[in-house]
Amino acid sequence: QLVESGGGLAQPGGSLRLSCVGSGFSFSNFWMTWVRQAPGKGLEWVANIKPDGNEKFYVDSVKDHFAISRDNAKNSLYLQMDNLRAEDTAVYYCSRGDWLDIWGQGTMVTVSS
Amino acid sequence: DVVMTQSPLSLPVTLGQPASISCRSSQTLVHSDGNTYLNWFQQRPGQSPRRLIYKVSNRDSGVPDRFSGSGSGTDFTLKISRVEAEDVGVYYCMQATHRPRTFGQGTKVEI
């Protein structure tokens, strides 16, 4: 199971930190991924991170203002989102692995003044 | 980035009849390790996505056998042998061969 939290309303230029807690599997053995979905739109792959946290990959549109990280001791995945823009408004899902076999319920991020 | 193009984008279906969704990639999805990392996802209304198929043709646990995936290289297909009411939703292909990973635009299946 994956449970996201941390979404909400942020002003343009503001910051939010999303969290995702995994349970029922060996979290430290898996790549973890963030995917987002803007209102009424399709899925967009955002970032993922290797099991040991030493490799991270991003889609170009977030590379300079999002940071993915993890704490395997807490079975937790994070997404630090800085300098937020209106186009970052979306439901953010965490998913297990590089092949996305398990998904959380999502957390809504709204960027608006 | 690899562009994934699905067709059709909207698919009206009849219960009990077959349905088919095409997904084409702008580059071959054959990885240097010999595998082809093409996955299919279903998103029912108001729900999170759910993976149906991985590596082109492998059904996930619990996925009905009326769903099947096929294809190779740059051309892939998701087929539903007999559509049921619970199959309504949006279907996405996604490639995990190249970085960044990319999704198709989605195909809305409606009765």
Side-chain angles (χ1 to χ4, degrees), chain A residues 22-44:
Chain A
S23 60
F25 65 97
S26 185
F27 184 86
S28 60
N29 287 347
F30 288 87
W31 283 77
M32 293 297 295
T33 300
W34 287 101
V35 175
R36 67 183 177 182
Q37 186 170 34
K41 302 296 185 183
L43 301 173
E44 180 182 31

Side-chain angles (χ1 to χ4, degrees), chain B residues 23-65:
Chain B
C23 175
R24 289 200 167 117
S25 58
S26 59
Q27 300 176 33
T28 181
L29 298 187
V30 179
H31 194 274
S32 55
D33 66 8
N35 290 305
T36 300
Y37 297 105
L38 186 284
N39 303 327
W40 288 96
F41 299 86
Q42 175 195 60
Q43 188 174 31
R44 291 172 170 149
Q47 295 188 12
S48 300
R50 163 201 183 195
R51 197 179 71 181
L52 298 176
I53 303 280
Y54 62 96
K55 286 201 293 182
V56 181
S57 58
N58 297 276
R59 248 189 329 271
D60 272 279
S61 174
V63 174
D65 60 8

Side-chain angles (χ1 to χ4, degrees), chain B residues 19 42 44 50 59 63-68 78-87 91:
Chain B
Q42 175 195 60
R44 291 172 170 149
R50 163 201 183 195
R59 248 189 329 271
V63 174
D65 60 8
R66 63 179 181 275
F67 289 94
S68 64
L78 177 70
K79 290 182 178 174
I80 310 174
S81 58
R82 295 171 308 279
V83 173
E84 297 192 5
E86 66 179 16
D87 300 336
Y91 292 78

